[in-house]
Amino acid sequence: YMFLWIGLSAAVIMINKYVLSMSGFPYPVALTCTHMLFCATLAFLLVKLGFVEAVNISADTYLSCILPIGLLFAGTLWLGNAAYLYLSVSFIQMLKASMPMVVFIVGVLFATEKFTLKAALNMLVVGTGIAIASYGEIHFVVIGVLLQVGSIATESVRLTLVQILLQKRGIKMNPVSTLYHIAPCCFVFLFLPFIYIELPKMVADKNLRVNVPVLLASAACAFALNMSVFLLIGKTSALTMNVAGVIKDWLLILLSVVMYHSPVTRTQLMGYGLAFVGVMYYNYAKVEQMKQSAAAAQKAPEKQPLMAAESGQSSKGSE
């Protein structure tokens, strides 16, 4: 399951890079719309044909939870795919190492994370590593970096909202159910900028090439990636998921160099190595925190019979 997730994740990223930068289709919103339409249609068919049961969502929950999450997800995909027009896959993966730092900052602002000096120093190490890697990038394009930073920011807020809105309401959804509810509204949010921003450019673009098989392959990989995330989390542990993510990042950097001849400098590797150490420590600390929470939850029920017995003895004594 780990290698399946790594392979599909790498496939989606490498195919998207090829489609947007090399195949004559430099339209990230159109590509993302294709993904969302494909995922929404397939999820709808799986639910309506009875293969998967969708979680019932009330109108209030949809408006207050699903729509904001869908909007942020649309922003994440749009900005993230647009960054491939300007930056190499290897440099984008290095920038993505800042995700824990941004999630921590957003979590502190939304009160889902506790600010500690230890955590802040850890994030400072990650940020320093990313700064060094950015300094060593040969083809540093400001627009591309801003797009990727925007994608990381929207994804961080989205993850925080998922934790606040869905978990507090006790809503648990499998990947198909998630796509069934979120992909349609995400498609609508993307369709509007597609109509007003990219469609006029596509109509006037004489060099436009639409490779339908490649677009469908990209969309199919995106759908399969969502399924593999569910399988990986369900069959393994959080630690395995984090280790798989690290392996995937290094693999993508290597594939970017081999397939697309992306230049990677020694300064970049040093900076990314520093950020890598910070991210690994962050993952380790998170897993240990989860273990402690799970252990505390297991001990809590064990105390209840003892407390009941003590109350029984005290009541007998009072009699």
Side-chain angles (χ1 to χ4, degrees):
Y1 289 120
M2 183 174 74
F3 286 108
L4 175 66
W5 176 75
I6 292 173
L8 287 170
S9 182
V12 170
I13 291 173
M14 299 304 285
I15 292 175
N16 287 353
K17 174 64 176 179
Y18 170 78
V19 170
L20 294 170
S21 299
M22 304 171 188
S23 71
F25 191 84
Y27 300 101
V29 181
L31 177 64
T32 310
C33 276
T34 304
H35 287 182
M36 288 299 100
L37 181 60
F38 183 90
C39 290
T41 303
L42 197 52
F44 177 83
L45 291 175
L46 289 173
V47 170
K48 293 306 178 182
L49 293 176
F51 292 104
V52 180
E53 184 178 354
V55 178
N56 292 324
I57 301 292
S58 65
D60 174 65
T61 302
Y62 193 89
L63 292 174
S64 61
C65 298
I66 302 300
L67 281 183
I69 291 171
L71 176 61
L72 289 167
F73 191 41
T76 297
L77 296 174
W78 177 7
L79 297 173
N81 283 332
Y84 289 116
L85 295 172
Y86 305 96
L87 305 176
S88 66
V89 172
S90 57
F91 185 39
I92 286 175
Q93 292 307 122
M94 293 180 186
L95 291 175
K96 283 183 179 179
S98 63
M99 178 68 77
M101 179 181 66
V102 182
V103 169
F104 174 74
I105 294 172
V106 173
V108 171
L109 294 175
F110 281 87
T112 59
E113 294 277 354
K114 291 183 179 180
F115 179 84
T116 62
L117 183 59
K118 189 176 182 180
L121 290 174
N122 184 21
M123 296 302 106
L124 181 62
V125 170
V126 175
T128 302
I130 298 301
I132 295 173
S134 301
Y135 177 77
E137 171 64 18
I138 295 176
H139 302 298
F140 186 94
V141 182
V142 176
I143 296 177
V145 173
L146 291 176
L147 288 169
Q148 186 56 47
V149 170
S151 176
I152 292 171
T154 53
E155 177 65 3
S156 300
V157 177
R158 185 186 74 87
L159 292 174
T160 304
L161 283 184
V162 168
Q163 181 179 353
I164 294 174
L165 299 177
L166 296 184
Q167 290 185 4
K168 284 189 176 181
R169 296 194 180 209
I171 300 174
K172 295 182 179 180
M173 296 191 292
N174 58 51
V176 175
S177 183
T178 301
L179 290 175
Y180 177 78
H181 290 294
I182 292 180
C185 69
C186 187
F187 172 78
V188 171
F189 285 128
L190 289 166
F191 190 71
L192 295 176
F194 167 72
I195 290 294
Y196 291 104
I197 298 176
E198 286 194 351
L199 185 59
K201 295 180 181 179
M202 293 176 68
V203 172
D205 189 354
K206 296 180 180 180
N207 297 320
L208 175 64
R209 287 182 290 171
V210 181
N211 192 328
V212 176
V214 174
L215 290 176
L216 289 178
S218 176
C221 286
F223 182 85
L225 177 60
N226 283 279
M227 302 302 104
S228 68
V229 170
F230 175 71
L231 292 172
L232 183 61
I233 294 175
K235 301 296 183 180
T236 63
S237 64
L239 180 60
T240 304
M241 183 77 178
N242 291 329
V243 172
V246 172
I247 296 173
K248 180 204 70 175
D249 291 340
W250 284 107
L251 176 64
L252 282 168
I253 292 173
L254 178 62
L255 287 175
S256 178
V257 173
V258 173
M259 294 179 62
Y260 299 144
H261 307 290
S262 302
V264 177
T265 64
R266 188 174 299 177
T267 303
Q268 277 187 291
L269 290 177
M270 290 175 58
Y272 182 66
L274 180 61
F276 166 76
V277 171
V279 170
M280 285 300 293
Y281 181 79
Y282 172 83
N283 290 334
Y284 170 78
K286 276 291 180 183
V287 171
E288 289 299 312
Q289 184 180 356
M290 290 172 61
K291 288 181 179 179
Q292 292 175 5
S293 299
Q298 289 179 353
K299 289 180 180 179
E302 296 176 0
K303 294 180 180 180
Q304 292 179 359
L306 179 60
M307 292 173 64
E310 289 175 350
S311 63
Q313 290 176 359
S314 62
S315 63
K316 288 181 181 179
S318 63
E319 290 173 356

